[in-house]
Amino acid sequence: MNKNALTASVEIHQPISLIWKIWNEPEHIAKWNAPSAEWINKKIENNLIEGGGFLYVMAKKDGTENFDFSGTYTEIIEHERIAYTLDDERKSLITFTGNNPVTLTEIFEPVPGLDVTMQQEFCQSGLNQLKAYAEQFNK
């Protein structure tokens, strides 16, 4: 991870087993993986094994912006951490700490040349969406 890595974090009041499932299963990812209601996931693939890959095709509903978010998993420790390398070689680490509440932290290398504040806010907003989605389930 480079020294310019950004961090976003959220505390979710649910068991780790539920948070892990929501983070990794495509049917759940589709419900939370967007920074706002303007965005949708047009396609989600997730092969959660070391050496496996993932692909999220994200787009604004109005069609003005879209991008693929894809990479390869480099480390998976169930209920603890997920590390991956994106197709453009940037690295990310997701950690899951605790059990009800769970602190989910994402450390990621930003896209060079894009506003880092915007990237930080985009990631944090996605985590906030995850929290809202996860906490709607009965405890």
Side-chain angles (χ1 to χ4, degrees):
M1 194 82 54
N2 74 33
K3 65 180 179 222
N4 297 321
L6 302 175
T7 301
S9 188
V10 68
E11 184 177 84
I12 306 167
H13 294 271
Q14 288 288 15
I16 183 63
S17 58
L18 178 63
I19 304 307
W20 186 263
K21 180 177 184 172
I22 288 172
W23 182 266
N24 292 301
E25 293 182 2
E27 61 270 21
H28 290 293
I29 296 167
K31 303 272 173 60
W32 65 263
N33 187 40
S36 70
E38 298 178 307
W39 288 87
I40 59 170
N41 291 273
K42 295 180 97 171
K43 181 178 185 178
I44 299 171
E45 297 174 358
N46 193 25
N47 184 15
L48 186 68
I49 60 170
E50 287 184 24
F54 61 89
L55 168 66
Y56 305 151
V57 178
M58 300 186 72
K60 273 195 168 178
K61 289 179 182 176
D62 67 7
T64 59
E65 293 181 58
N66 65 73
F67 64 93
D68 290 357
F69 186 76
S70 57
T72 303
Y73 292 111
T74 57
E75 180 184 23
I76 298 167
I77 301 173
E78 187 175 22
H79 297 170
E80 290 182 29
R81 64 191 291 135
I82 299 171
Y84 58 83
T85 301
L86 295 169
D87 290 346
D88 65 5
E89 301 300 320
R90 292 180 299 121
K91 298 186 183 326
S92 292
L93 173 65
I94 315 302
T95 59
F96 303 78
T97 308
N99 183 19
N100 204 1
V102 173
T103 300
L104 192 154
T105 303
E106 185 167 358
I107 303 168
F108 63 99
E109 296 176 344
V111 176
L114 281 182
D115 181 282
V116 292
T117 301
M118 183 271 304
Q119 292 181 70
Q120 169 75 34
E121 289 171 354
F122 193 95
C123 183
Q124 185 64 56
S125 183
L127 294 184
N128 293 345
Q129 296 291 334
L130 167 72
K131 174 183 174 68
Y133 175 71
E135 290 185 349
Q136 74 178 346
F137 289 89
N138 291 333
K139 296 180 181 179

